[in-house]
Amino acid sequence: MKRALGVCYYPEHWPESVWAEDAALMADAGLSWVRICEFAWSRLEPKPNSFDFDWLDRAIETLGRRGLKVVLCTPTATPPRWMLTRHPDMLAVDAGRRERGFGSRRHYCFSHRGYREECARITRALAERYGGNPHVAAWQTDNEYGCHDTVLSYSAAAKAGFVAWLRARYGTVDRLNKAWGNVFWSMEYESFDDIGLPNLTVTEPNPAHLLDFRRYSSDQVVAFNKVQVEIIRTLSPDRPIIHNYLGRTAEFDHYRVGADLDFAAWDSYPLGFLAEGTGRDSAWKRRFLRQGDPDFQAFHHDLYRAVGKGRWWVMEQQPGPVNWAPYNPAPLDGMLRLWAWEAFAHGAEAVSFFRWRQAPFAQEQMHTGLLRPDSVAAQGLADVQAVARELALAPEVDTGPVPVALVFDYESDWAWRTQPQGRDFDYFSLVFESYQILRRFGLSVEILSPDGDDLSTYALVVVPGLMHWRAPFVEALRSYKGIALIGPRTGSKTEHFSIPPTLPPNIPDLLDMKVTHVETLPSDAPVPLKNGGTFKGWREFVEVGSRAHIVETTADGHAALVAQGALRYVAGRPDRDAATRLLRAICAKAGLETLDLPDGLRVRDAGRFRFVFNYEAEPADPACFGLTGERVLGDFPLPPAGLAILKRQLP
Amino acid sequence: MKRALGVCYYPEHWPESVWAEDAALMADAGLSWVRICEFAWSRLEPKPNSFDFDWLDRAIETLGRRGLKVVLCTPTATPPRWMLTRHPDMLAVDAGRRERGFGSRRHYCFSHRGYREECARITRALAERYGGNPHVAAWQTDNEYGCHDTVLSYSAAAKAGFVAWLRARYGTVDRLNKAWGNVFWSMEYESFDDIGLPNLTVTEPNPAHLLDFRRYSSDQVVAFNKVQVEIIRTLSPDRPIIHNYLGRTAEFDHYRVGADLDFAAWDSYPLGFLAEGTGRDSAWKRRFLRQGDPDFQAFHHDLYRAVGKGRWWVMEQQPGPVNWAPYNPAPLDGMLRLWAWEAFAHGAEAVSFFRWRQAPFAQEQMHTGLLRPDSVAAQGLADVQAVARELALAPEVDTGPVPVALVFDYESDWAWRTQPQGRDFDYFSLVFESYQILRRFGLSVEILSPDGDDLSTYALVVVPGLMHWRAPFVEALRSYKGIALIGPRTGSKTEHFSIPPTLPPNIPDLLDMKVTHVETLPSDAPVPLKNGGTFKGWREFVEVGSRAHIVETTADGHAALVAQGALRYVAGRPDRDAATRLLRAICAKAGLETLDLPDGLRVRDAGRFRFVFNYEAEPADPACFGLTGERVLGDFPLPPAGLAILKRQLP
Amino acid sequence: MKRALGVCYYPEHWPESVWAEDAALMADAGLSWVRICEFAWSRLEPKPNSFDFDWLDRAIETLGRRGLKVVLCTPTATPPRWMLTRHPDMLAVDAGRRERGFGSRRHYCFSHRGYREECARITRALAERYGGNPHVAAWQTDNEYGCHDTVLSYSAAAKAGFVAWLRARYGTVDRLNKAWGNVFWSMEYESFDDIGLPNLTVTEPNPAHLLDFRRYSSDQVVAFNKVQVEIIRTLSPDRPIIHNYLGRTAEFDHYRVGADLDFAAWDSYPLGFLAEGTGRDSAWKRRFLRQGDPDFQAFHHDLYRAVGKGRWWVMEQQPGPVNWAPYNPAPLDGMLRLWAWEAFAHGAEAVSFFRWRQAPFAQEQMHTGLLRPDSVAAQGLADVQAVARELALAPEVDTGPVPVALVFDYESDWAWRTQPQGRDFDYFSLVFESYQILRRFGLSVEILSPDGDDLSTYALVVVPGLMHWRAPFVEALRSYKGIALIGPRTGSKTEHFSIPPTLPPNIPDLLDMKVTHVETLPSDAPVPLKNGGTFKGWREFVEVGSRAHIVETTADGHAALVAQGALRYVAGRPDRDAATRLLRAICAKAGLETLDLPDGLRVRDAGRFRFVFNYEAEPADPACFGLTGERVLGDFPLPPAGLAILKRQLP
């Protein structure tokens, strides 16, 4: 695996006179990739069908001349103002039925076919001109699908598209009525055309209606992206096509978009997401204020490795304070280096910093870059240069076999947003909590789609809150030799968002138990477990059949953990103490050695190497926590933001 | 009085093949009433004017064959989708001027005349077919008027109706201008047609404008209901007509709807309402998490006994965890029994559980029933069976004379929502706080409408926060021999929402005092009373004339309690300590014996019997609190969720 | 300087029969000014072009006969209902694209030209009739511009006006594109007509777009006001024209409106603003619940003295509890007197109480007056009478030279609302915090506009958070002999809302330093300073050139205070401790003596006199805090709400 560094650059923002110097500085800093053009449509096509590619020719040439490889982006996230004159109905409409206007970015509805064709047109023009350009070594489609809550749109185009989609899915409206249970409140439709979008209903709409609308909306993102991919693939063969996803966003099925692409990439802003993305308390946030959550990036690295079918980048890496979080602190010196290495340890093929030079104008003028607006090196550039030097020296690693799989499913996120049942229930947090504990154990984790059909390489598979089972996964479970921890809420619905006839978890032949009902509870009323810890917020009451047995109970005597063969079912949402205890026992059973890492020390194994990261603002000595071995890079104790690479003794 | 149990059932949700078994199980469980059909319009009239009553014939017959009596509902809370094609303007419009769409329920504007006629049509069709059916023993109109904030609508139909209503009320626009004080900000109208609805004004609209709009809106609910009542009364004589009201809802004048009906009923969800309905703190909510607030149901039982002119049911009784509260815990074992008996102790003639079998589909799939979705008995069924057995054995009781009256007025709720003057002022809470203290004293309470004209049977009448006096009530007060505790804010407005010329409380011949001004205060700045406790949030400054005298003062020397003859006026909102002290002294004066019950122990007297309820999750011994006597049912100490019936020594 | 008292009166609200008695009582109470008519349009012109001035003739005559001087208002804040029939498109539109309807007040869009002409028409009619009336001694235009969030409107009129304004400002759309940096997200326009209003964009609009829209909107207020001023000035020469501004409102540039007027006035509601206007914690609010914040009024007095170019009034002074704050307590006895004297100490020429008699009807019926609704004297009247007596005896004072200037800039408020960068950053608070500390030092302060060009009379100039420099001010700084404390954020933008090429603070010849980047932090993560106190929320990283030097650092070693000649730059937002320490040292350096006043004791120097105010609810002895001297009024210790006037020893 070849690891590289890159940067995001906007030649159209700067006088052409500085391009050459910029390119020279980039190359000198050890960067090899430059992403360009994702917001440049108004410069590429100033008037409809009147293209201006000359500047881009020169920009690419200037970069290429320094040996820099270009990631060329389609500019479809920012249609120019004239596009609205051509397609006045192309704007998305919010849940309150208001058009989302021009004047920022992502001002389009994914359902609008006219705009989709315009995107095909500009993509074709770019791919025709640059598809064979020797400096254009990769493509990015659009930019951050879903950012600013743009997947769901309640436009006329969306309504028409949704109706057509439902017709294709259900064939007859009777089948739809039955699948959704529309008899419930006389919601039965006589015709597909009568079906509206699920916004502004008097009280909540049918959850099946909402779920199908989310599926439809996700499909539009997939289709929108695919149009561009197919054009580029034809006109620019052998260049990987990438999209840069977001952190903590699940509005569309990333696996399905990813299936059409070559790599995944994501935009990693560790400090930006600390305030609201991680579910941690304020003491934790204060502690990691300038470092970011020690697990948040790792989780997404693993997630996007799955979305990218093993190949992935960080397309935008935070370079310093940003402009968009509730608070925007400066990172510790060294953090850009740690963040980059954490990505590489998880298998990133490139880490690209956003952005080269801070723009002094417009919306992101307070977002730092690797250069200050006056072109002097900013705080982060030294870190980037350090990583570049280290990359040249450090050994190649591969991610190797990963012992633990954790299922993440986009539909489950949609389902539980639609029906949380208790105010705090949140799918992302549920999955991420498992991840946090596994990572505290020093275990490396693979994220798995719910369509996975091969579990044979994992010692442990964790499946929290999966809305409904997919047949290949159940088949894989049937013959699984490791341990699978499932629940709570796993298998609790059919595909059509109803309770399965045999009741959850709905795999009666594998797990002889039924969830008869559930209760949700405020945070000050948890359910104590007999052996320590609690269920917080969510508890299930189960009936256990003869083939299964109860491993653990709540203090009030209900089943808390049920076992049958390789399967374990946890009938509630364990708090950190309970989850740690349960998972540690299960890991032992699965033959996995676990560490007990402190809050700020983290480990990632990659083939023959073990990476150790210190997220603390204080020095830390990993040797105190069982982390020993020959060091390829770094010294113990690790300084703040320090890292080390150890040689690993493989079994 | 005959007491009975019932259940809500949806034959249209289930295969016809299970109806007979369901009916058998219901009868075996001791149920005698089955409510059906309130959401079944799309099955009764699948296309306009094309009815399908065959299935309903068979369903009623199947139920009736088991001796079950049917409450047949008009299905007007859920117009089918085709209704919108016929009446595209029938939807309600929210305060933000957005139509409230199809896809859930209650999607109609009460002002829309076309829809009202459609409701008459389906009601007539049902009543013609089933009015004489021997198994149809009662009717329910629509379902939960006002649920999902549906009383106020800002539609074109509402605007037109409001203008006509104002024209009828005021005759000339000059009279309206004067009554509302429209000179204030040049708000004078030249024509009724110029008057708009009071939403989206630049700052708050004239409170008189808002109050009249609320009165108009309430009148539409009354009129809407009356259309159905008159049809049913003609075509199905001798069957009681009922509506199922909600808890903690005051958007329309329930007394006026109730005047047209035979019984009242309400839908009682003790756990669902605990989180947000009771005004209690989080420690209280944690303590009664699985039991519900010990006073909330009792208050509504008494309220709806008043609305029902003495006759009332619980139409929907919570059966287990529901789906719609912020958190949805499971009740303690035994709670359904306790809840049912609390209702009977307050005079309920029937308690009907919602619902028979949990529906696995659509909006309420997480709402439990008496059966699980797989038709196995759910947690609550055993409780229901226990009550059925006990009912057969327990003595008949009647509610007997009740010594205390508490006035509850819907217009006052609208008035103080419009003009709280301090952020925390809330009419429901103000009244409910008095109720809580009286109940802690072990006193049984009657809720009284402000139109009451006979107080002679009460030793004590409490009148908190009544916006404006009605003449018969003042007349009744004039000759009243008990003690009447009024205030704060009572009599502080005229009918037209202005300050009365003689200043509040505006009964100068009965109470020689004036409220000169008021102040409102944050919760951390209460006004201490000289003898203990405080005024919280609300304090009035009064001028006392020669015929009245000051009984108690604030620590800063202002009058806190004023007396004249039978009347007491409290010039502020007492906190729990102050209210307990003041009310206890007043009760003593009124010759009422008071207990001092702990938080979870509650009493209800009914003629010759005293019911004792333990709302705690721990055992409790009522004997420690002066509750002794021969036991007809139950043993001391009471277990959690336990109850007893004692024989009472009547004076 | 002549000081006077006044009152706001609404003859149209009361029977004509009471006018004469009201006038007599006013005169007897020592009032000399009566403001009338600002909401009376529907009575002045009941139908379009059909005027009724007779009642107003009589009202003015009745008041004048008692020697009362009338402030006559244009009634343009409350257009009658018929105005909407003439101009259906005159309503403002909110940011959610909803018309803000009729039924309260201020229901007009400042951009609407038709309405502006109607306002000219009624103004001309009034000025023609009353311009020479001997009793009409001053005019007020409209009422409380900007109240109820009415400056920004997203109407069609605003869109058209904004486009025209941009065309005039930029000449070509290319210049606009460049100034705004529209290349950033392909936001470039081909035509001015394509530019929309900056509401409901998908994510935040370009800050330059927003800032220009705010400038445009502010200009409409200026233009709207100017139309009336020019008419009145012509038809009623020699009468001052005044507008009554609000507290804590910066939606338009008050200096520019003020430039066209003779005096400024503001509406002072000390208790009304305590809850949400002052940025203080709940203990502080509880302590000053009935007195108001000790600095809030003083700050606005100084601000509006600047807006009024030295001449100003309090047009509405709180008389007792009001109706519109979250909580509405009654003031301490004596507070109206203290508030009035604080205003006079700051140079007010009149203090006018709002309102004469409490109206029993419409929106403000819970707002007290000097009389109760039943015409009996309310709590506040005695205070008013006391001030009247004292004014007759107290010596004339003038505000004299003020040693400290504090810059307040409306554009900076708009800029930092648009781009707070950290959640808590708020321009008003930033400036007000400096004011609070200076006032605790016993220093009198002058508010300065950023266009100020003469600093020579000040020992100290404080310039926090000024968005961009104006050339005359920088020129004045260049030769300034005192000390100027600037920052944080001062000079951080160009006029077009971009980062200046030389980086902030952008006066490199005066201050040889650069702010390279900033960070924002949650309140629980302040940045400690080496010498005590912290930076809270906002910290800048600076590079200091050879001509400047670092005076103080943060505990982590970054520059915190930089000095060069007369200038000091503070690179963060100091908390109260740090700000007190830094400012005290700077004051010493500037030769200013500082006191250390406790929370509730405040001082204002005015020429030969020093005013001392006790805002505590307890007695206080100013002598303990260095406040001594011959007393012209008042005795030590001061009672609650007490005040004293001392003779000052002038240097």
Side-chain angles (χ1 to χ4, degrees), chain A residues 95-98 159 178-190 193-197 199-209 419 421-424 489 492-493 496-503 514 516-525 527 537-539 541 543 556, chain B residues 10 12-13 39-43 46-48 75 78-82 85 94 98-108 147-148 150 276 282-283 286 289-290 321-331 354-355 358-368 372-374 376 379:
Chain A
R97 298 202 193 106
R98 297 174 307 197
K159 144 87 184 160
K178 192 150 198 312
W180 289 9
N182 279 336
V183 65
F184 190 67
W185 280 343
S186 277
M187 298 176 293
E188 292 168 300
Y189 297 100
E190 288 177 88
D193 293 323
D194 286 341
I195 303 175
L197 300 180
N199 58 321
L200 292 180
T201 49
V202 174
T203 183
E204 84 265 28
N206 193 322
H209 187 173
Q419 188 185 81
Q421 179 68 9
R423 194 176 267 167
D424 310 324
R489 232 180 166 173
S492 60
K493 302 292 171 185
H496 293 301
F497 215 131
S498 64
I499 299 175
T502 55
L503 300 191
K514 291 179 184 184
T516 60
H517 58 298
V518 305
E519 67 172 358
T520 54
L521 302 159
S523 61
D524 63 356
V527 176
W538 184 276
R539 182 249 286 262
F541 296 90
E543 200 173 79
D556 62 359
Chain B
Y10 300 89
E12 71 273 23
H13 292 180
F39 301 131
W41 199 336
S42 71
R43 291 295 167 98
K47 291 175 194 306
T78 51
R81 178 60 183 79
W82 53 255
T85 308
D94 70 20
R98 299 175 304 197
E99 268 189 357
R100 306 183 69 186
F102 183 85
S104 60
R105 59 177 181 175
R106 301 209 58 71
H107 39 283
Y108 67 85
C147 193
H148 317 309
T150 47
E276 300 188 339
S282 60
R286 193 166 56 245
L289 185 71
R290 302 175 182 287
V322 297
N323 64 305
W324 48 264
Y327 301 99
N328 294 294
F354 182 88
R355 48 191 288 155
Q358 182 175 352
F361 45 73
Q363 280 92 334
E364 293 182 356
Q365 58 186 263
M366 299 299 279
H367 192 301
T368 52
R372 300 177 350 196
D374 60 353
V376 174
Q379 180 199 7

Side-chain angles (χ1 to χ4, degrees), chain A residues 197-231:
Chain A
L197 300 180
N199 58 321
L200 292 180
T201 49
V202 174
T203 183
E204 84 265 28
N206 193 322
H209 187 173
L210 248 179
L211 181 64
D212 268 355
F213 181 60
R214 284 185 170 273
R215 284 169 171 153
Y216 160 77
S217 300
S218 175
D219 281 2
Q220 301 322 298
V221 181
V222 174
F224 181 94
N225 181 67
K226 196 168 192 172
V227 167
Q228 300 189 16
V229 170
E230 286 174 353
I231 292 165

Side-chain angles (χ1 to χ4, degrees), chain B residues 446-461:
Chain B
E446 193 123 302
I447 302 290
L448 211 60
S449 121
D451 296 309
D453 59 0
D454 180 7
L455 309 176
S456 60
T457 60
Y458 307 114
L460 171 64
V461 176

Side-chain angles (χ1 to χ4, degrees), chain A residues 35-96:
Chain A
R35 185 190 66 162
I36 63 173
C37 243
E38 81 271 23
F39 301 130
W41 199 335
S42 71
R43 291 295 168 98
L44 296 171
E45 190 180 6
K47 291 175 194 304
N49 288 303
S50 161
F51 294 100
D52 178 2
F53 288 134
D54 294 350
W55 69 270
L56 183 56
D57 293 348
R58 296 193 300 275
I60 291 173
E61 181 56 31
T62 304
L63 295 166
R65 206 178 299 139
R66 286 292 182 171
L68 295 161
K69 288 177 288 183
V70 167
V71 182
L72 188 59
C73 304
T74 65
T76 52
T78 52
R81 178 61 183 78
W82 53 254
M83 190 67 76
L84 269 85
T85 308
R86 287 162 71 96
H87 303 284
D89 60 346
M90 68 171 277
L91 295 172
V93 171
D94 70 20

